[in-house]
Amino acid sequence: MHIPGPTARRRSYAAVVAALMTWSAAWAGQDLAVAGGAPTPSVPVPKLNWRPCTEGSPFDCATAKVPLDYDNPGGRSIKLAVVKRKATGPGRRIGTLFFNPGGPGGPGTVQMPQNYESFPREVRERFDIISWDPRGIGNSTAVNCFASPEEAADWNASKAAGFPVGEKERAAFTAAYEELGRRCEQRAPELLRHVSTADNARDLDQLRKAMGDQQLTYYGISYGTYLGATYANLFPGRVRAMVFDANWDPQAWTDNASDEAPRTASFQRLGSGRSAAETVNRFLTLCGSTTTARCAFSAGSPKATQDKYDQLLQRLRKEPVGSWTSAGTVADVVSSLYDVQLGGTELAGRLQDLWQGRAPEPSPLPPPPPVPNPNPYLGEEQSTAVFCGDSPNPRDPGAYHTLAEAAAARAGDTGRYWIWASAGCASWPAVAEDRYRGPWNKPTANPILVVGNTYDPSTPLSAAQAMAKELANARLLTHDAVGHTALFNPSGCVNSHASRYLIDGALPPTGTTCRQDAPPFAAPKLAKTGGNTITANLAGVSAALLLTGGGLLFAMRRYRVTR
């Protein structure tokens, strides 16, 4: 299948429309309404006044104005921070590729510039790549429930890192999130109810219109896959090409749209605990299969290395090493396995330091990207507002201990970790006014490419399989890899298929499986993508992004857990 598109940006919207009439005329009227629903009130298209983000920066920045409530577009408006890198191939531009870096809570204005080189060369040549801080996040109109950074730091320090262990820590954990809910309800009650994924999808459609694209070209990772699925079902006729990488199962996330009180937690339904356990086991197996020169934590065999890891966690439960507790170490292991190319070797070194009774030195953060505010406030309440407003979770704080112990019987401490990651929702004060809960199978104008890793510490391959099955028209590409997302645990094979799909609409054959370019502890090797040698630059924004306990771990991170 060939996906048509303009070769260059026209100066006027009228010219854009004229040039793109061949895209999909049958869907032209869909702009008047969300597909399958009643007509929505008219919303002005944002004006994007692009300027260099900083002097000499290759990235351009703009601010978009959108309604807080799309049912009342004449009411309060909010601002979205937007960033763009122009297509690098002279005269070869197809259109715009919109990128969401996951979360919820990923600030696209920081993370897209940090990771721009990870996109295949052909994609960078043919598309302007745009990202944005979703509503409620970072440099956009943001949820902020504290009067000062010091207040936020004190709140974060009041609860255990990773997950609570013991009755005292559980009580403190519950009290901390009850306090967070009270603070947020006092400081931002209206905004809390209008940061849903459906609201974000409508913002994305406004940005598409602002760029003059008749249909959407999109790459979403992790939470960005759920945002993409929501967009595809709200606006099915506007889908040009969408890549969903490291997927959330939409039925699991919405608890099958049930109106009954939920008995399970969001990440439990997603299967994150078991997937994380399998990924940790794979990491330890690969570590134990090589020498200490490649993996500092190796004990000479996979079983001996697994036993060493179990013994380390047992020791840390009794005697933490400095601020490194057992639960905090588990959180660090999970987050480090998001990016094994950069994180795996460093993780092995930290585990060996702990084994020898030394508190690991923090890894230096890479330099910030050339954007005006590369370190925005990203408090845990921002991701929590989206997550808890969208996805149902038990309202009884006491239920999480029971669920966590049941999960631990199947997945060990990673099971506990991912159960407690939802516990902040027990006392969250808001439910999104405009949640989208399905259906997820509305026929889209063009098919969607779904990518899933076999060993992912957050989003299991089963979720990608479920996403591909649930969507009306999708193709699954399996990535035999360790890590969270294929984009940041690169495969020349995946990037080649993704490039052809985004540019020409050519899907990989059914049943295609690709392999990771650089598995953990393999000999050093640069990944070649479309003739361009790249390495993923997964720079950190702020230690605050590495949310623990009730917070969310989103993709692309190189942050240490705050203990």
Side-chain angles (χ1 to χ4, degrees), residues 260-300:
E260 300 293 325
R263 297 181 180 180
T264 53
S266 297
F267 291 106
Q268 178 185 11
R269 297 191 297 268
L270 195 62
S272 297
R274 281 176 289 179
S275 185
E278 292 168 358
T279 304
V280 172
N281 290 341
R282 181 64 175 165
F283 168 80
L284 294 171
T285 295
L286 293 172
C287 178
S289 299
T290 190
T291 65
T292 54
R294 289 274 175 81
C295 178
F297 193 65
S298 176

Side-chain angles (χ1 to χ4, degrees), residues 314-366:
Q314 290 172 10
R315 279 168 36 185
L316 291 173
R317 288 188 192 102
K318 298 175 182 178
E319 292 186 38
V321 176
S323 60
W324 287 76
T325 64
S326 175
T329 299
V330 170
D332 181 66
V333 169
V334 171
S335 64
S336 297
L337 292 178
Y338 273 46
D339 161 35
V340 296
Q341 197 171 42
L342 291 177
T345 300
E346 293 179 0
L347 170 61
R350 288 194 300 277
L351 293 176
Q352 184 63 17
D353 283 342
L354 291 170
W355 179 257
Q356 295 176 341
R358 299 190 303 266
E361 292 293 326
S363 300
L365 294 176

Side-chain angles (χ1 to χ4, degrees), residues 101 107 110-116 118 339 342 364-370 374 378 488 535-543 545 554-560:
V110 179
Q111 292 187 323
M112 188 277 277
Q114 285 175 328
N115 298 285
Y116 172 77
S118 295
D339 161 35
L342 291 177
L365 294 176
L378 293 162
F488 300 110
T535 55
N537 172 27
L538 309 189
V541 181
S542 162
L545 284 177
F554 57 82
M556 307 167 354
R557 285 188 305 204
R558 294 269 291 122
Y559 324 116
R560 298 285 72 82

Side-chain angles (χ1 to χ4, degrees), residues 521-537:
F521 315 119
K525 177 183 174 183
L526 291 176
K528 290 190 176 181
T529 307
N532 182 50
T533 301
I534 64 169
T535 55
N537 172 27

Side-chain angles (χ1 to χ4, degrees), residues 490-507:
S491 162
C493 170
V494 171
N495 284 340
S496 177
H497 284 299
S499 297
R500 286 198 297 270
Y501 165 71
L502 289 170
I503 293 169
D504 296 321
L507 289 166

Side-chain angles (χ1 to χ4, degrees), residues 135-148:
R135 56 173 58 210
I137 307 300
N139 293 308
S140 293
T141 300
V143 175
N144 186 343
C145 301
F146 297 95
S148 68

